[in-house]
Amino acid sequence: MGELGGNAPWISKRYAFATSGSHQQARHLLASQEPPLSGAESMPHCSERATAMPCTQKADPESTLKADPESTLKRNRTFAMTVPDLSDIYRSYIACLNKQDWQSLPQFIHDDVCYNGERIGVSGYRQMLEKDFSEIPDLQFNIELLVADPAYIGARLRFNCTPKGRFLGLDVNGRKVSFTENVFYEFRGERIGQVWSVIDKAAIEAQL
């Protein structure tokens, strides 16, 4: 902004004239007063700079895609995510957990995933799940309720399982218990970046 204001005093004339006179007169005046620019100082017209500064003229999607196809596709894939898409990804994630397919976990979990406010990464997330399955051999995740609002998922998961010993500080010791988990996910692209989880501990206590 500083360089633009210092090197192009005719800018003030452009905006002042925009409030009066005909459009053709404005174009003629600007064409005669705007200094020729070249090299690093050149300022392309609005249609060529749509992604660089605010402009009333819309950028051409095809030209933007050609200029930077990889970043554009990633951005479009994130914003174009639909409810069915996100729901399908989440169901595939739950299937991955139930199969204990840890090699596929990075397909669903972001590298810097946070769990209840703590950044644990994919490795920490996997360790947490492996510990759960070790302590609860018959653990299975069952989707009871699923709501999607890209880029978020809200789910109520049902568990009917038999923890071997202590679970959530409770002496379950091999008894069959049924409980739910209310969990929210924030997706980054097609992977989970944030998880907020609350387990109904009171329901387990009532069964002991």
Side-chain angles (χ1 to χ4, degrees):
M1 294 291 288
E3 291 184 6
L4 184 60
N7 295 335
W10 49 266
I11 287 290
S12 59
K13 297 179 181 179
R14 167 181 287 180
Y15 291 109
F17 195 85
T19 60
S20 64
S22 68
H23 181 64
Q24 293 297 328
Q25 290 174 323
R27 294 179 58 186
H28 178 74
L29 179 61
L30 293 176
S32 62
Q33 292 186 351
E34 292 184 12
L37 301 175
S38 61
E41 297 180 348
S42 64
M43 294 181 58
H45 290 292
C46 179
S47 60
E48 298 171 338
R49 306 177 62 248
T51 59
M53 65 182 293
C55 178
T56 56
Q57 184 171 344
K58 295 183 179 179
D60 180 3
E62 293 186 3
S63 63
T64 304
L65 180 61
K66 291 177 183 177
D68 192 356
E70 185 175 350
S71 62
T72 301
L73 287 173
K74 286 181 179 179
R75 183 169 60 252
N76 290 346
R77 186 162 60 244
T78 299
F79 291 111
M81 185 80 70
T82 65
V83 170
D85 291 338
L86 203 58
S87 298
D88 289 344
I89 292 172
Y90 182 71
R91 292 182 189 279
S92 296
Y93 158 71
I94 291 296
C96 172
L97 301 189
N98 287 333
K99 291 186 294 185
Q100 300 183 53
D101 181 10
W102 308 131
Q103 296 299 321
S104 298
L105 194 62
Q107 297 179 18
F108 304 99
I109 303 299
H110 195 275
D111 299 342
D112 296 322
V113 65
C114 293
Y115 185 86
N116 281 350
E118 180 183 357
R119 181 176 296 172
I120 60 176
V122 177
S123 60
Y125 204 91
R126 173 174 175 171
Q127 291 173 10
M128 176 182 66
L129 290 167
E130 288 178 330
K131 183 175 182 291
D132 290 341
F133 277 94
S134 174
E135 296 177 351
I136 312 172
D138 60 348
L139 179 63
Q140 287 286 291
F141 293 74
N142 301 292
I143 302 173
E144 191 171 86
L145 180 64
L146 175 61
V147 178
D149 183 16
Y152 297 92
I153 282 277
R156 180 179 175 89
L157 303 176
R158 169 69 63 178
F159 302 92
N160 296 291
C161 55
T162 313
K164 293 188 298 185
R166 289 180 64 81
F167 178 61
L168 298 178
L170 302 174
D171 293 318
V172 181
N173 297 326
R175 279 174 283 190
K176 192 84 170 183
V177 291
S178 178
F179 60 94
T180 57
E181 176 186 11
N182 295 317
V183 57
F184 294 91
Y185 306 84
E186 180 184 59
F187 278 73
R188 298 178 189 172
E190 298 180 358
R191 296 191 294 170
I192 295 169
Q194 289 265 12
V195 182
W196 298 273
S197 166
V198 178
I199 294 176
D200 188 358
K201 184 177 178 180
I204 302 174
E205 290 179 301
Q207 299 170 64
L208 301 179

